[in-house]
Amino acid sequence: MKSGNGILSSYGTTIFEVVSGLAREHGAVNLGQGAPEGMEPADVVARAAQAILDGPNQYPPLMGTPGLRRAVAAHEKRFYGLDVDWESEVMVTSGATGALADALFGLIEEGDEIILLEPLYDSYLPIIRRAGGVPRLVRLAPPDWTLPRDRLAAAFSPCTKAILLNSPANPCGKVYTEDELDFIARLVRDHDAYAICDEVYEHLVFDGRKHIPLMTRPGMRDRCVRIASAGKIFSVTGWKIGMLVAAPDLLRPIIKAHQFLTFTVPPNFQTAVAYGLEKEDGYFTTLIQDMQARRDRLAAGLAGVGFRVLPCGGSYFLTADIGALGNADDDVAFCRRMTIEAGVAAVPVSAFHTTGEVNRFVRFCFAKSDATLTEALARLNKYFG
Ligand code: PMP
């Protein structure tokens, strides 16, 4: 028998599926997968339900419904001061995952180098490799995940096509500073490259800081592909509505990839997301306050159990050093044991790395209900206490 594609076959099942499966099997509280709990705005959900009843329920335009594309353009202006033409610069995708695949397949030519920062989200590498790209990895080191500027500069070459930047970052919660963004922007400009900006956690930046899209930095407007996710903005990860903004020339080949990969995404959810993006400022500020409170609650609870909790400036994940608990397990064994024996699931941070040296950190999702966080902390206290 002939085998399937070697690159994709070489990957196991995604860590999120593995962790959630183990959590189900053992009745564990799942703080592994980044699925928010009970936080969907009721009016946005009602809007989607109504849009299904009202129809249309047929293919919308390839680029997305005009209503959502207009709403995205208005969102870019309102939050970031960006002037975006909804017709030629906005495309709706099948989640940010779809947007990433569209952008990578649309832009990469065989042999193009793509710069990535580790730890990194798990869909990037397989798609880059499958598209014929050559990943160039630069590692950020815990506990502060500071950008290693010399190593990043050295990773750029005449073959660099793009950098893929995730800020705020999953899993480490790093929010790149303005100075770091300007450093990256200069490298991108100097090498006539692009930046694919995974900004799905844009509305989850804490402690009074503001999200800064790389696209807003000098000279970067036409070099960036900005990727957003309604799943994160409205805590509806199952809807899989992503939004991609790029200058017309950059977007053109990305549209071609989208046309053959996904073609269109459900019109009813697009209607609801358009409505949601136009919500008053209070929605967005409450979301931040609410998530920040959950972050602080889980951070304090984990510290009480004996974890050394790392700072988290954004996203809905906390990373914690397990070394402080004085055990000899690596992060994979630790997460397995914690799921089975303590009844709480988390994700090993080594899963976000290409090699296994960073193996003392685990990722907890705090976008959970009070009851879930209370139960998880009670179980951890019982087990480790
Ligand atoms: N990028 C990052 C960094 C993510 O954390 C996620 C979701 N976990 C995605 C992309 C995918 O987003 P979506 O669900 O909209 O496809």
Side-chain angles (χ1 to χ4, degrees):
M1 279 262 274
K2 291 181 179 166
S3 50
N5 176 263
I7 294 171
L8 295 178
S9 302
S10 70
Y11 288 92
T13 306
T14 153
I15 185 71
F16 311 112
E17 199 64 27
V18 172
V19 166
S20 295
L22 197 66
R24 270 194 302 275
E25 194 184 323
H26 294 277
V29 178
N30 191 352
L31 301 187
Q33 197 167 33
E37 201 176 64
M39 303 176 71
E40 310 90 319
D43 55 342
V44 176
V45 173
R47 195 63 178 232
Q50 195 58 50
I52 291 174
L53 292 173
D54 291 348
N57 286 289
Q58 308 305 330
Y59 295 130
L62 159 72
M63 298 275 282
T65 62
L68 179 50
R69 286 152 69 209
R70 280 200 182 93
V72 170
H75 170 275
E76 302 300 277
K77 182 73 183 172
R78 170 177 165 196
F79 287 96
Y80 309 123
L82 286 166
D83 287 305
V84 170
D85 174 39
W86 72 269
E87 285 187 279
S88 61
E89 298 189 306
V90 180
M91 185 167 77
V92 182
T93 60
S94 180
T97 310
L100 285 158
D102 293 343
L104 295 167
F105 279 121
L107 296 178
I108 292 175
E109 297 256 39
E110 196 72 35
D112 280 344
E113 294 181 3
I114 306 292
I115 294 177
L116 299 154
L117 296 150
E118 271 187 309
L120 79 181
Y121 184 61
D122 75 337
S123 81
Y124 301 163
L125 273 176
I127 301 290
I128 289 169
R129 290 196 171 119
R130 189 68 185 93
V134 179
R136 291 274 175 252
L137 289 147
V138 177
R139 183 170 290 179
L140 309 179
D144 52 8
W145 315 106
T146 304
L147 185 68
R149 296 185 185 213
D150 290 349
R151 278 191 284 122
L152 181 64
F156 274 79
S157 84
C159 298
T160 303
K161 184 65 155 282
I163 180 169
L164 203 174
L165 183 71
N166 174 215
S167 180
N170 173 11
C172 64
K174 177 182 173 67
V175 176
Y176 285 75
T177 63
E178 193 169 322
D179 198 49
E180 286 174 326
L181 292 173
D182 284 341
F183 183 79
I184 294 168
R186 188 172 59 72
L187 290 171
V188 170
R189 286 194 309 269
D190 288 353
H191 292 82
D192 190 21
Y194 298 117
I196 298 169
C197 304
D198 178 345
E199 300 181 2
V200 299
Y201 299 104
E202 62 189 309
H203 286 293
L204 294 164
V205 174
F206 307 129
D207 308 314
R209 289 177 67 187
K210 288 263 169 284
H211 174 65
I212 306 171
L214 189 63
M215 188 180 257
T216 61
R217 307 314 297 161
M220 295 305 283
R221 174 64 177 81
D222 294 348
R223 292 190 181 275
C224 289
V225 177
R226 202 179 96 69
I227 292 173
S229 170
K232 316 292 176 187
I233 304 175
F234 303 108
S235 307
V236 287
T237 57
W239 288 12
K240 298 299 284 186
I241 300 291
M243 295 155 288
L244 187 152
V245 175
D249 285 348
L250 191 51
L251 184 56
R252 222 161 275 127
I254 301 174
I255 297 170
K256 294 293 156 52
H258 180 71
Q259 155 173 307
F260 299 124
L261 283 170
T262 316
F263 181 39
T264 65
V265 295
N268 336 76
F269 290 125
Q270 295 192 52
T271 302
V273 172
Y275 164 81
L277 287 179
E278 284 157 3
K279 277 170 91 67
E280 69 296 349
D281 290 351
Y283 170 75
F284 297 90
T285 47
T286 305
L287 177 68
I288 293 171
Q289 284 161 5
D290 193 31
M291 281 300 189
Q292 187 172 314
R294 285 164 212 252
R295 175 201 66 175
D296 293 344
R297 172 142 193 254
L298 185 62
L302 291 174
V305 171
F307 287 92
R308 189 160 67 86
V309 181
L310 275 51
C312 159
S315 82
Y316 34 55
F317 303 110
L318 276 173
T319 45
D321 188 339
I322 57 174
L325 287 164
N327 74 92
D329 290 344
D330 67 13
D331 59 347
V332 175
F334 181 88
C335 285
R336 206 182 149 73
R337 182 163 63 86
M338 190 170 70
T339 305
I340 296 171
E341 296 178 12
V344 177
V347 178
V349 170
S350 61
F352 300 84
H353 290 83
T354 46
T355 55
E357 298 93 45
V358 182
N359 61 6
R360 310 290 300 157
F361 299 88
V362 299
R363 188 197 81 173
F364 293 91
C365 175
F366 52 79
K368 301 292 173 187
S369 71
D370 278 347
T372 298
L373 294 178
T374 302
E375 178 62 23
L377 289 171
R379 290 182 181 201
L380 291 175
N381 269 313
K382 186 160 169 231
Y383 183 74
F384 291 105

